[in-house]
């Protein structure tokens, strides 16, 4: 989804600053400051609605604070009840961290990231340093993945700004390809402390090549006309691999179950043909068919291409 223009001013006591403050407190002070299960719905509603408000005005989306808080509080209450049904326990540290992630996302109006920020508020009993596969196993609610992303260790969540990776440097992900997700403004390091992303604008992507390094590392895209076909070789944005070489993507023609054959302004339709992406107002079932990458459909009934206003409207009404 395209980034929504925003005029943002940080909250006077945002959770990012709040967690930084906690690092200097005694354990008893820290425990008292963590978001309890009883206070989570109200704290969630307050954090969501105060931070999302500046995203609404520039797009002329209606925002009412009390309506937003009511819906957000209901969402958070339902979220807690889902954990009870699954036999999981709420973790105060994980709940506090989720609100920090939520604010970080909404500060840039990254609505999809904000909607999933509190997916891991339920925790297990594994202490920091214990091997894990996901955060729900850890008392902290965060599992720092290993270098190859297959497993990790329980750790405290501490956000850091991502670095631009260089050739051969250990990495945690790729970003910057036209039509793909927005490059992160902050992230949690992996188990080795790595916060490096491989940026398409630099000519790199993050890959696992056991012959090069025993970990994920930044590798160079293959240029137009270069050999390809090896699983460890990826063609540069705007091209795809065909008959052993990187060739230009196309705006029309067959895509044969290979959507990357279609260029950034096209999509692969059910008949396996590249078709032009549709303007706002056109009928759609998914954002991949829209120029804006945003469709108001719920995936079950037909919607229309929009500029993200449907998602923004839900967010501004307090419905993540």
């Amino acid at each position: 989804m395209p980034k929504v223009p925003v005029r943002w001013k940080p909250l006077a006591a945002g959770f990012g600053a709040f967690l930084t403050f906690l690092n200097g407190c005694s354990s008893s002070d820290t425990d008292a400051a963590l978001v309890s299960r009883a206070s989570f719905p109200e704290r969630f509603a307050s954090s969501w609605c105060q931070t999302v408000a500046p995203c609404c005005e520039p797009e002329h989306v209606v925002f009412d604070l009390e309506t937003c808080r009511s819906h957000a509080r209901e969402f958070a209450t339902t979220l807690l009840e889902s954990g009870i049904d699954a036999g999981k326990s709420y973790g105060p540290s994980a709940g506090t961290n989720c609100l920090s992630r939520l604010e970080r996302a909404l500060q840039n109006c990254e609505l999809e990231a904000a909607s999933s920020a509190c997916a891991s508020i339920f925790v297990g009993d594994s202490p920091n340093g214990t091997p894990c596969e996901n955060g729900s196993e850890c008392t902290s609610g965060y599992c720092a993945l290993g270098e190859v992303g297959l497993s990790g260790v329980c750790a405290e969540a501490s956000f850091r700004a991502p670095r631009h990776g260089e050739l051969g440097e250990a990495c945690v992900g790729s970003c910057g390809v036209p039509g793909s997700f927005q490059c992160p403004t902050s992230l949690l390091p992996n188990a080795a402390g790595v916060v490096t992303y491989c940026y398409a604008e630099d000519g790199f992507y993050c890959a696992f090549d056991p012959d090069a390094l025993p970990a994920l590392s930044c590798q160079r895209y293959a240029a137009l006309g270069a050999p390809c076909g090896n699983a460890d070789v990826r063609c540069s944005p705007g091209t795809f691999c065909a008959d052993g070489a990187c060739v230009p993507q196309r705006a029309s023609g067959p895509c044969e179950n290979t959507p990357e054959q279609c260029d950034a302004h096209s999509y692969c339709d059910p008949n396996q043909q590249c078709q032009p992406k549709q303007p706002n107002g056109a009928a759609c079932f998914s954002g991949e068919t829209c120029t804006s990458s945003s469709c108001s459909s719920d995936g079950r009934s037909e919607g229309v291409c929009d500029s993200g206003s449907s998602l923004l409207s839900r967010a501004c009404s307090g419905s993540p």
Side-chain angles (χ1 to χ4, degrees), residues 19 53 62 64 71 84 95 105 118 133 146 163 178 206 240 275 285 313:
L19 291 178
V62 174
D64 177 74
H71 289 168
I84 295 174
C118 291
E133 293 185 359
R163 292 183 58 258
C206 189
F240 72 100
Q275 300 288 351
F285 276 92
S313 294

Side-chain angles (χ1 to χ4, degrees), residues 32-83:
L34 294 177
V35 179
S36 68
R37 186 186 186 283
S39 65
F40 180 78
E42 192 61 44
R43 298 286 286 274
F44 178 91
S46 177
S47 185
W48 180 281
C49 295
Q50 290 185 59
T51 318
V52 79
C55 303
C56 309
E57 180 186 353
E59 295 299 302
H60 308 291
V61 176
V62 174
F63 175 79
D64 177 74
L65 180 60
E66 290 309 311
T67 299
C68 178
R69 289 174 66 92
S70 176
H71 289 168
R73 192 182 303 113
E74 181 180 354
F75 171 86
T77 300
T78 302
L79 181 63
L80 289 174
E81 291 172 350
S82 71

Side-chain angles (χ1 to χ4, degrees), residues 128-205:
N128 290 350
T130 304
C132 58
E133 293 185 359
N134 61 72
S136 64
E137 302 172 20
C138 308
T139 55
S140 66
Y142 173 55
C143 179
L145 293 180
E147 291 183 332
V148 296
L150 300 178
S151 61
V153 295
C154 295
E156 289 301 320
S158 178
F159 284 89
R160 293 163 55 186
R163 292 183 58 258
H164 282 244
E166 299 182 358
L167 182 63
E169 188 174 4
C171 56
V172 294
S174 309
C175 71
V177 176
S180 68
F181 73 92
Q182 183 179 342
C183 291
T185 55
S186 64
L187 71 156
L188 294 167
N190 68 8
V194 175
V195 288
T196 299
Y197 256 73
C198 307
Y199 288 70
E201 64 192 67
D202 300 329
F204 301 130
Y205 67 98

Side-chain angles (χ1 to χ4, degrees), residues 12-25:
F15 274 90
F18 176 60
L19 291 178
T20 300
F21 168 76
L22 291 184
N23 290 333
C25 297

Side-chain angles (χ1 to χ4, degrees), residues 238-251:
T239 69
F240 72 100
C241 189
D243 299 324
C246 294
V247 300
Q249 291 178 321
R250 55 180 68 129

